[in-house]
């Protein structure tokens, strides 16, 4: 894997399972920020709280990634907030 130091990692399905594991790995490898997209609001809050408590810079958004419209809207929110 190339250096991710200072970069932002966008992880779909990031609230649990492999996605959450990837978020933890990205933060451990030096990603400046992790953006989590997931459809499960409760799991998303729990994952965000866990990663933030561990010192990670995390942005989370409730997104149904099966919807192109939802993905585009979420990406626009990130851009508008200056997070990408």
């Amino acid at each position: 894997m190339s250096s991710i130091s200072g970069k932002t990692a966008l992880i779909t399905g990031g609230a649990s399972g492999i996605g959450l594991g990837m978020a933890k790995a990205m933060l451990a490898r030096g990603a400046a920020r992790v953006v989590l997209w997931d459809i499960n609001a409760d799991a998303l809050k729990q994952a965000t709280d866990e990663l933030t408590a561990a010192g990670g810079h995390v942005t989370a958004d409730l997104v149904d990634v099966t919807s192109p419209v939802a993905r585009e809207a979420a990406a626009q929110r990130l851009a508008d907030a200056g997070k990408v």
Side-chain angles (χ1 to χ4, degrees):
M1 181 185 302
S2 64
S3 174
I4 61 169
S5 180
K7 306 249 171 107
T8 298
L10 169 63
I11 302 171
T12 62
S16 63
I18 293 170
L20 180 56
M22 289 189 65
K24 290 175 182 178
M26 292 291 158
L27 289 169
R29 286 183 153 249
R33 172 180 329 194
V34 169
V35 177
L36 303 179
W37 284 358
D38 206 284
I39 197 167
N40 183 323
D42 293 335
L44 191 58
K45 177 166 179 8
Q46 184 176 357
T48 302
D49 291 347
E50 177 185 346
L51 294 171
T52 302
H57 184 85
V58 181
T59 301
D61 201 354
L62 192 63
V63 182
D64 178 358
V65 297
T66 66
S67 166
V69 172
R71 288 191 313 267
E72 180 64 32
Q76 189 62 56
R77 287 191 296 274
L78 284 171
D80 290 347
K83 298 196 176 188
V84 289

